[in-house]
Amino acid sequence: MGLFDRHAALLADYRDVQTTGADPFQVRMERVLSPTEAIIDGRKTLLVGTHNYFGLTFDPSCVEAAIEAIRTEGTGTTGSRIANGSYGQHTLLEREIAEFYGKKHCMVFTTGYQANLGVISGLVGDGDHLLIDADSHASIYDACRQTQAGIVRFRHNDPSSLDARLRRLSNEPGNRLVVLEGIYSMMGDRAPLEEFVEVCKRHNAYILIDEAHSLGALGENGRGLCEAEGVLDDCHFIVGTFSKTLGAIGGYVVSDEPDFDILRVTVRAYMFTASAPPSVIASVRQALRVVKARPELRHRLWKNAATLYDGLAARGFRLGPVHGPVVAVLMPDRPTAIAFWRALLEAGIYVGVAAPPATPSGISLLRCALCAEHTREQLEHMVEVMTGIARQMGVLDEEAGPAMN
Ligand SMILES: Cc1ncc(COP(=O)(O)O)c(C=O)c1O
């Protein structure tokens, strides 16, 4: 038996995908031109799947901050903050993120994946209970593998399902940590957070919410779903990423828990990996200033989300349940999803594609992510192109009229 034999089923499926055309998992951007355009296969391509929500990857002030940091502090930190020490900018960024949320503590990680992995597995252990939404991100599922806590899944976005599971645990000792997401990245739907908070309060459970896709997009000041639903003080741990709205790479967690800083010497995903380079930290600090100073970016993002969602819905596409920065376009099956994705790429439009086992309930879908920098013309063009492809492939049921999920 060879090392790769256990991947045999997947290998066969994947070869199938690779031999029938462009590989959705190995797209190569020859040149990135802006937050919304790149050259792919020699063709100028509209990017509607890169989660660059505010378009800050090319913001001149963020770019300048990164360049200046490289000039003055070098290209990398060459080690973890435990081994090599923190740069001044690391601690300044942590203070600024904590202030942004009105929380006492913040810990910055090198990726958002590591933030979830490290913090969740650092908070609960043997004898505790970790309760996660069934549609949680892979980083949350991977955290489950790294803890000795009991793992309980509840139905996606269903506070009564969480309530039932917490009731079942009511006579068990140990802490309860409930993990939620602000905006779910596959379907673009949002947790009914107020109801979840009410359930958690009743059962004395801690809440950790991952606002990876909602930072900047939701809330009066862009703090995410917690702010939008007025429950910032009820969420004990808020996790986020620098890799989407903030246009760089890294992750964070904020909290008011008094002993929070002990995680710096217990969380392996923080202790045993190199810290983010000065350029990244500097551009993220500047991006956070932009998020605070330019609410119009959030408004443009939502306007663009409405243009795409309403345009596709009117043409009869089946979509995720709500308007938002992530628009899921449901496909009947995986082969159709991949064929549609390829046709779109050939027509000069890049979106994401997802299929089982990565998706909830065995759904296949195209993942569109809006950017504040998209123009109305770009998005209207996309609706036209998608409608043309859908008609050719027989994906639309136009007789039935607009079909929203
Ligand atoms: C919900 C969620 N959490 C965490 C992450 C991981 O973030 P990062 O890309 O910064 O590692 C992602 C990334 O896609 C995500 O969608």
Side-chain angles (χ1 to χ4, degrees):
M1 165 129 174
L3 280 178
F4 291 89
D5 288 356
R6 67 200 183 92
H7 301 299
L10 187 61
L11 259 173
D13 271 4
Y14 190 36
R15 287 215 177 101
D16 238 24
V17 170
Q18 287 179 311
T19 49
T20 49
D23 179 350
F25 308 111
Q26 299 208 42
V27 171
R28 181 166 168 269
M29 300 194 193
E30 284 127 37
R31 199 150 55 88
V32 178
L33 305 171
S34 74
T36 61
E37 286 181 329
I39 305 290
I40 300 176
D41 275 341
R43 204 173 17 240
K44 197 188 247 194
T45 302
L46 177 64
L47 303 175
V48 193
T50 57
H51 303 282
N52 196 347
Y53 297 124
F54 276 22
L56 295 186
T57 48
F58 279 79
D59 179 275
S61 68
C62 297
V63 170
E64 278 313 310
I67 292 170
E68 183 57 20
I70 288 189
R71 283 217 181 87
T72 54
E73 297 187 86
T75 53
T77 63
T78 67
S80 85
R81 290 169 65 183
I82 297 297
N84 290 15
S86 296
Y87 283 40
Q89 298 232 35
H90 288 127
T91 48
L92 287 173
L93 175 59
E94 284 174 340
R95 197 181 307 156
E96 287 158 6
I97 296 174
E99 275 169 17
F100 178 64
Y101 285 100
K103 299 272 187 194
K104 291 197 181 74
H105 307 282
C106 173
M107 221 170 131
V108 162
F109 288 77
T110 312
T111 68
Y113 174 88
Q114 286 166 319
N116 270 337
L117 196 68
V119 170
I120 295 171
S121 63
L123 288 173
V124 284
D126 197 14
D128 295 326
H129 308 278
L130 178 56
L131 296 105
I132 67 164
D133 186 290
D135 289 2
S136 291
H137 185 259
S139 54
I140 295 167
Y141 272 102
D142 289 357
C144 294
R145 297 180 181 183
Q146 294 220 345
T147 170
Q148 302 293 314
I151 311 296
V152 180
R153 282 196 318 170
F154 54 90
R155 274 200 306 276
H156 175 55
N157 273 354
D158 185 345
S160 66
S161 168
L162 174 64
D163 187 44
R165 280 150 181 77
L166 282 167
R167 253 185 288 128
R168 241 178 271 153
L169 292 174
S170 60
N171 292 323
E172 303 268 333
N175 289 309
R176 290 112 173 83
L177 177 67
V178 173
V179 179
L180 306 167
E181 291 176 37
I183 293 178
Y184 283 84
S185 66
M186 287 292 166
M187 297 297 283
D189 52 342
R190 298 192 276 279
L193 190 53
E194 254 188 281
E195 291 168 61
F196 273 127
V197 164
E198 196 271 318
V199 171
C200 289
K201 276 187 174 164
R202 213 158 356 101
H203 293 279
N204 214 8
Y206 289 94
I207 298 181
L208 179 149
I209 180 158
D210 178 350
E211 300 264 24
H213 293 269
S214 29
L215 170 67
L218 293 177
E220 205 185 329
N221 300 288
R223 293 179 203 147
L225 186 65
C226 293
E227 183 183 29
E229 298 219 354
V231 293
L232 259 168
D233 290 342
D234 299 307
C235 292
H236 306 87
F237 304 94
I238 301 171
V239 171
T241 173
F242 303 152
S243 71
K244 304 183 193 307
T245 299
L246 300 179
I249 183 166
Y252 61 89
V253 55
V254 295
S255 179
D256 275 333
E257 293 300 307
D259 294 326
F260 180 79
D261 270 338
I262 194 67
L263 295 177
R264 291 187 196 274
V265 290
T266 54
V267 166
R268 302 171 71 83
Y270 175 85
M271 296 165 68
F272 298 114
T273 192
S275 61
S279 52
V280 163
I281 298 296
S283 81
V284 169
R285 289 183 68 203
Q286 180 55 27
L288 195 59
R289 284 184 206 116
V290 174
V291 167
K292 288 193 265 191
R294 297 188 58 202
E296 71 271 18
L297 293 174
R298 174 165 45 263
H299 305 145
R300 277 181 10 213
L301 175 66
W302 280 91
K303 214 165 126 208
N304 287 342
T307 301
L308 185 66
Y309 191 100
D310 294 343
L312 292 174
R315 300 305 181 94
F317 281 92
R318 290 186 62 223
L319 304 175
V322 287
H323 277 186
V326 175
V327 175
V329 184
L330 308 193
M331 293 280 123
D333 50 46
R334 184 166 63 179
T336 310
I338 292 174
F340 202 117
W341 175 87
R342 281 185 184 134
L344 255 185
L345 192 62
E346 275 161 29
I349 299 173
Y350 173 80
V351 298
V353 61
T359 48
S361 323
I363 292 170
S364 294
L365 51 85
L366 302 177
R367 298 173 75 195
C368 308
L370 278 309
C371 175
E373 298 298 323
H374 283 132
T375 64
R376 190 177 180 85
E377 293 68 39
Q378 284 175 325
L379 298 173
E380 284 174 351
H381 168 70
M382 176 168 174
V383 171
E384 288 310 314
V385 171
M386 286 184 71
T387 305
I389 296 170
R391 282 191 182 134
Q392 263 180 9
M393 291 179 58
V395 168
L396 293 183
D397 181 6
E398 288 171 289
E399 297 293 299
M404 289 157 70
N405 206 35

